[in-house]
Each structure stands twice: as C-alpha cells, then as structure tokens.
C-alpha cells in the first residue's frame, strides 16, 4: 500500500527541491545494483574477496581524481560534506584567526563555533548592503597577521549566488592563508575548475544524483590535516572506519556522469529556471527574486511573494504535489525565516514570504510551466 502511494506520489510530483537532495540517476542505481549482487569483502582483508573490494575502491579513487582533475592522494572519502567540513575545520586550533561568512551552511558554521569556544577567533563577514555574496574587499580587510584560514562556500545553497572563489583563492595564495571551500551547491550545476589557491574543497554525493552517506574532501598536502575519525588505517590513515564501498561506487558513477551531462545540463537548468521566473514575474507584481542581479547558479531561484506567508504557500504547494523549500533543508523544519536571507539584509517579513525552488537536469519545461501556473493561482488565492 505504502509503495503504491509513493509511486503515485512521485509520478504526479514536481520536485523542485534539488538543493536539498536529488533523485538517484538510473545509471547510478544500475551500478549500485551490480555491486550489491557481487560478493565483496572488507577492502582491508587480505583474502580475494577483500582484495576485490580494495581494487574497486582504488578504481573509484582513480576515476574521481581523473574526473575532478586532482591528485588521487588528495581524496578523502567521507560520509558526506558535513563530516568533511567538520574534519577540515577541526584541523585548526587556538591561537589563530579564521575568516568565514554569516551565509555559510551550518555544516561549516557549527564546527567553527566549536573552535570559537576553544579560543579561536572567528570573523563572520556579512555582504555589503544590497549584495548577496561576500566581496573580495571584505575578505582582504578582515585579514589579520594570524589569519590562517578562510572558509567559504562556492555557491550559496539557498540563493544560488556565487562567491568569486577564483579571486579569493588568488588573494589567499598571495597571503599564505589556507582556503577551505564548501563546493556542495556548485558541483553538478556548472563545470568546475579548481583555482590553485584552494587548499581544500568538499562535495556531497546526494546533491548530484548519487546516494546519501557518501561525500568527499579534496585536500592539498600542505593543509594542516588532522583526522576527525581515528581507529584503523583506512584512507591513508586520514579517515578511520571500513569504507562505505557501495556509497563510494554510487558517488563515483554520479561524478563520472557530470562530464557527460555538463555543460548542457547547466543550460537546461538555466532555461527552466529563467522561464519559471519570467512566468511568475509576468503574472505576480509583488515578488522579489533574491540575488537576481548577481552571478547565480543556473538551477536556483529564491523568491519572496510579498504579503504571503512562505510556510503556508509551501504547505499548499506540497498538497498540490510540488516540492519546494523554505531555506536550507537542515533548518527548514523551523518556523523562523531563513538566517541566510536575514544576514543578507533582507527584511524579516520579506524573508518569511520567501521560498526556494531548485531545479535539476531531470526537470522538464512542462514541470516548470505547471509549477509556475500552480504558484500564480495559489498566490492569487492566498493574497
Ligand atoms: N554545504 C552545503 C552548501 C549544503 O547545502 C549541505 C547540505 O545541505 C551541506 C554542506 C552538508 O552536506 P551533507 O548533507 O552531505 O552532509
């Protein structure tokens, strides 16, 4: 019964919450199924079953390194971006100074808060008035003699607004400061190139049509790395614990597929998103698209429907089979307006009326049209 209901739901559903998580790609499912049906051992075991797993793990490492054009040794498999960020941030200790922004995901902010409790000084930067990203100038002005780390997201998961990582990387390299990048929202949306000054970057499998429970840190050898999980010597002693081979295999396929889909997928998402926004702007007068005039991810649209309660709209949309979000998935259960929008200087009422719509390469023009139609209808009724 549950399965039937779910099947019906997913058929009629328009899923526009791809910055929270994405559906598994069919090819990823296929590769994971194949793996499940094989008899595999622990990659650390010496027998043939173990060695078979070890070979698969090495293959995954090789493939990912080739796709992302990085050194194999720089890859650390984790359970997701949260673990990767906790590990990398936890590698620093007092006394030092770290620069970050108030717009970061909690997966970065929370471990930074822990460091702060242990005496590390942290500067939380805010965007300038009317802007949605942290400027190079703001970072430059915040640098102190003992600044060791700048930690920032490449793209904001709530607004899609891009950070100018290339320029910041150049600055950090010049000033001999480590740069840690949260690349979660960016991967899979645009072709990726890692500027030289990036010391470490993290990604999450479930945001790119791969399985949950798998993620990645790419860490240059000069980064002052200290493992979060200690125990066995897996992953070159950088992350103890038996590897999640099934998740890693799924993630590897998801990463391998990026080259196949990009840059066409970017254009596809951008055209759906732009079409969706245009339809809404043509029919509703009182809307604000956050970060519209800035460089944004091609898939994300964060919109304030002025005079409408965002949460009510979100629930009504869900009842009509449309999935959107009220902010970051980790906090969207809360009734509070988005911290990111508030920290961008958005008025509290406006923030409360805002919803995030995030497309993936699997969405269609028909879905964008249908969703816009339903939203226009609901806004008229609720307004
Ligand atoms: N960073 C950003 C920008 C995210 O959107 C998320 C997840 O929502 C994370 C980090 C945490 O990723 P994970 O779910 O893999 O732990």
């Amino acid at each position: 019964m549950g399965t039937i209901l779910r099947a019906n739901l997913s058929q009629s559903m328009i899923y526009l919450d791809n910055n929270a998580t994405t559906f598994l790609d069919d090819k990823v499912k296929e590769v994971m199924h194949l793996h499940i049906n094989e008899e595999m051992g622990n990659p650390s075991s010496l027998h043939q079953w173990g060695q078979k797993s070890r070979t698969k793990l090495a293959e995954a490492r090789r493939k990912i390194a080739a796709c992302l054009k990085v050194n194999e040794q720089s890859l650390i498999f984790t359970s997701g971006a949260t673990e990767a960020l906790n590990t990398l941030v936890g590698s620093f200790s007092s006394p030092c100074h770290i620069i970050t922004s108030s717009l970061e995901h909690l997966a970065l902010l929370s471990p930074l808060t822990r460091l702060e409790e242990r005496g590390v000084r942290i500067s939380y930067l805010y965007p300038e008035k009317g802007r949605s990203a942290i400027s190079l100038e703001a970072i430059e002005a915040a640098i102190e003699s003992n600044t060791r780390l700048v930690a920032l997201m490449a793209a904001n998961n709530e607004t899609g607004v891009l950070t100018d990582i290339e320029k910041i990387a150049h600055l950090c390299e010049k000033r001999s400061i480590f740069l840690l990048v949260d690349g979660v929202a960016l991967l899979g949306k645009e072709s990726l190139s890692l500027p030289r000054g990036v010391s470490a970057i993290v990604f999450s499998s479930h945001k790119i049509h791969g399985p949950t429970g798998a993620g990645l840190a790419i860490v240059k050898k000069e980064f002052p790395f200290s493992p979060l999980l200690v125990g066995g010597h897996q992953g070159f002693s950088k992350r103890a614990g038996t590897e999640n081979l099934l998740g890693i295999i799924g993630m590897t396929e998801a990463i391998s597929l990026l080259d196949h889909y990009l840059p066409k997928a970017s254009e596809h998402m951008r055209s759906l998103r732009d079409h969706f926004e245009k339809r809404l702007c043509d029919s509703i007068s009182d809307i604000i698209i956050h970060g519209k005039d800035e460089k944004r991810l091609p898939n994300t649209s964060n919109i304030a429907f002025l005079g409408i309660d965002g949460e009510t709209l979100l629930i009504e949309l869900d009842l009509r089979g449309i999935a959107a979000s009220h902010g970051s998935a980790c906090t969207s259960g809360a009734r509070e307006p988005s911290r990111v929008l508030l920290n961008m200087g958005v008025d509290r009422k406006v923030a409360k009326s805002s919803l995030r719509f995030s497309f993936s390469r699997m969405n269609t023009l028909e879905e964008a049209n249908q969703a816009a139609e339903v939203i226009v209808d609901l806004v008229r009724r609720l307004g």
Side-chain angles (χ1 to χ4, degrees), residues 149-203:
L149 176 71
V150 171
L152 292 171
M153 49 185 18
N156 189 279
N157 54 305
E158 293 196 29
T159 60
V161 173
L162 298 169
T163 312
D164 194 341
I165 290 297
E166 204 168 317
K167 283 199 181 136
I168 296 168
H170 186 67
L171 170 70
C172 288
E173 196 179 21
K174 215 170 65 186
R175 305 289 293 266
S176 302
I177 297 168
F178 297 110
L179 174 61
L180 163 59
V181 177
D182 174 350
V184 170
L186 181 65
L187 190 68
K189 313 303 181 332
E190 288 186 349
S191 302
L192 184 82
S193 70
L194 286 185
R196 255 183 30 172
V198 172
S199 328
I201 186 162
V202 309
F203 300 117

Side-chain angles (χ1 to χ4, degrees), residues 80-82 85 105 107 153 157 182 184 204 206-207:
T82 300
L85 288 167
H105 193 276
M153 49 185 18
N157 54 305
D182 174 350
V184 170
S204 175
H206 73 101
K207 309 282 184 175

Side-chain angles (χ1 to χ4, degrees), residues 91-277:
S91 298
F92 289 81
S93 57
S94 174
C96 77
H97 173 240
I98 294 177
I99 299 171
T100 189
S101 94
S102 59
L103 309 179
E104 301 306 308
H105 193 276
L106 284 177
L108 177 64
L109 287 181
S110 298
L112 282 171
T113 308
R114 270 198 179 168
L115 284 191
E116 204 172 18
E117 286 161 8
R118 295 175 191 156
V120 173
R121 280 202 339 95
I122 317 261
S123 296
Y124 299 92
L125 305 185
Y126 288 74
E128 288 142 31
K129 197 168 169 17
R131 296 287 315 274
S132 319
I134 307 301
S135 68
L136 178 74
E137 294 71 30
I139 292 164
E140 197 153 21
I143 294 176
E144 298 177 6
S145 58
N146 67 341
T147 305
R148 288 204 74 206
L149 176 71
V150 171
L152 292 171
M153 49 185 18
N156 189 279
N157 54 305
E158 293 196 29
T159 60
V161 173
L162 298 169
T163 312
D164 194 341
I165 290 297
E166 204 168 317
K167 283 199 181 136
I168 296 168
H170 186 67
L171 170 70
C172 288
E173 196 179 21
K174 215 170 65 186
R175 305 289 293 266
S176 302
I177 297 168
F178 297 110
L179 174 61
L180 163 59
V181 177
D182 174 350
V184 170
L186 181 65
L187 190 68
K189 313 303 181 332
E190 288 186 349
S191 302
L192 184 82
S193 70
L194 286 185
R196 255 183 30 172
V198 172
S199 328
I201 186 162
V202 309
F203 300 117
S204 175
S205 154
H206 73 101
K207 309 282 184 175
I208 56 162
H209 305 285
T212 46
L216 198 61
I218 298 170
V219 187
K220 291 216 177 127
K221 62 177 183 308
E222 58 272 20
F223 194 89
F225 184 85
S226 166
L228 176 70
L229 301 181
V230 288
H233 296 293
Q234 293 92 346
F236 308 113
S237 296
K238 288 182 175 154
R239 200 274 187 177
T242 304
E243 296 87 350
N244 168 16
L245 190 53
L246 178 63
I248 291 170
I249 281 171
M251 171 169 69
T252 305
E253 187 60 26
I255 292 175
S256 303
L257 286 170
L258 295 180
D259 255 0
H260 172 74
Y261 284 109
L262 291 170
K264 274 218 156 116
S266 293
E267 288 160 28
H268 173 68
M269 290 185 276
R270 190 181 302 283
S271 75
L272 297 189
R273 193 272 312 269
D274 290 353
H275 180 78
F276 172 76
E277 287 184 349

